[in-house]
Amino acid sequence: PGVTVIIPERAAPDLLARALASLAQATGELLEPLQVIVVANGAPAATYDGVRAAYPFVEWIHDDAPLGFAGAVARGLAAARHGATLLLNNDMTLERTALLRLLALRGPRVFAVAAQIEQRSADSRREETGFTDWYVDRAGVHLFHAPPSSTAAPHLCAGGGATLFRTALLRRYLPASRAYDPFYWEDAEWSLRAWRDGYTVLFCPEAVARHRHRATTARFYAPDELARIVERNRLLFDARHGITPWPAHEMLARICGLPYASQRELSRLTCAAGVLRMRIARRRAPQPTAAPSL
């Protein structure tokens, strides 16, 4: 028993206060040990004086430098005391029963349990559900959010914004996923590796979280730069895990079509070594589900 909550936070105290307020409600009926860690980075510590005073139960880890998503999670995991870890974005809020419903689905072979995400675009189109799958087309592998199931069900990957993870496995998978810094696609790799290690990734529709999409990243990265990082990491994920059936020369040709900044980042020796290690590891077990070609 016991759950650690880790909230990566960068210079958004108002968003953080709303997330913590929802968390306080969601833990009101919790009957097991609780630890809440905020990893505040990229802003002076004084930015959070008001939030500290309002939520004295929070443990704080602070760094003036921006850490990126996985970097902030790694700092929180180093201090985590419990076997279950809830990763919660600062731009997420939980419904009152969400955490209890996630905890109810823990099991000996469960790696992660993802909440249902309510997030809509300006035109009211639903952009996220938390229930994920993948497909392959001429551009390569794509992840998408499917219409949510009505009951708890296995799915491809659990996002890092509102998901309960097995702490020990998250600690194991996170270091290699730093290849995706500063953000995006690292949580897909965690889940894929868990499936290959014989663990299950679940979706819990009764646990609901509401998301303000890219409320943090959009403040620090221009839209073109965000799109560049997402596309770079999409191809990196494919290169590391061999999702598409392309031969190596075709995969490299697609990488050479990326902007020069992305080519330079992907050509680093540490990145190449990580691709080699992951492509060797994928031979030991099948994909969690085949990615259909569309």
Side-chain angles (χ1 to χ4, degrees), residues 138-182:
R138 291 182 181 87
V141 64
H142 303 270
L143 298 182
F144 68 93
H145 287 251
S149 66
S150 58
T151 59
H155 67 145
L156 178 70
C157 66
T163 293
L164 188 73
F165 292 92
R166 182 180 293 272
T167 305
L169 287 180
L170 187 56
R171 283 189 175 126
R172 182 193 305 174
Y173 299 146
L174 187 136
S177 72
R178 298 297 302 275
Y180 301 97
D181 282 355

Side-chain angles (χ1 to χ4, degrees), residues 80-272:
R81 295 191 294 269
H82 301 301
T85 293
L86 176 72
L87 295 188
L88 185 67
N89 278 358
N90 65 347
D91 54 5
M92 289 277 190
T93 55
L94 297 176
E95 285 198 348
R96 185 181 60 83
T97 63
L99 180 58
L100 296 179
R101 293 185 180 277
L102 293 174
L103 290 168
L105 293 178
R106 287 174 293 185
R109 301 305 297 176
V110 175
F111 166 59
V113 187
Q116 179 176 180
I117 298 173
E118 289 279 357
Q119 193 274 319
R120 296 182 183 274
S121 64
D123 61 1
S124 295
R125 179 177 60 86
R126 189 168 183 183
E127 291 185 338
E128 290 184 78
T129 65
F131 190 43
T132 61
D133 207 340
W134 57 3
Y135 67 91
V136 170
D137 64 11
R138 291 182 181 87
V141 64
H142 303 270
L143 298 182
F144 68 93
H145 287 251
S149 66
S150 58
T151 59
H155 67 145
L156 178 70
C157 66
T163 293
L164 188 73
F165 292 92
R166 182 180 293 272
T167 305
L169 287 180
L170 187 56
R171 283 189 175 126
R172 182 193 305 174
Y173 299 146
L174 187 136
S177 72
R178 298 297 302 275
Y180 301 97
D181 282 355
F183 43 64
Y184 294 134
W185 285 86
E186 58 275 276
D187 45 10
E189 175 159 303
W190 303 340
S191 294
L192 181 60
R193 292 185 63 188
W195 276 112
R196 289 174 173 168
D197 287 342
Y199 291 88
T200 300
V201 179
L202 298 176
F203 170 73
C204 179
E206 295 88 1
V208 177
R210 289 182 169 79
H211 187 202
R212 293 185 60 182
H213 188 49
R214 294 184 180 175
T216 298
T217 55
R219 293 187 295 117
F220 299 103
Y221 295 87
D224 288 350
E225 180 66 359
L226 273 173
R228 182 189 74 80
I229 293 170
V230 171
E231 180 65 5
R232 179 201 70 186
N233 286 352
R234 185 180 72 85
L235 288 183
L236 176 59
F237 179 83
D238 200 354
R240 285 166 69 90
H241 298 289
I243 309 302
T244 57
W246 298 332
H249 70 273
E250 186 171 343
M251 183 81 245
L252 287 173
R254 291 174 183 268
I255 289 173
C256 288
L258 293 173
Y260 180 68
S262 296
Q263 295 181 48
R264 187 175 64 247
E265 291 157 359
L266 295 180
S267 67
R268 294 170 180 158
L269 181 59
T270 53
C271 182

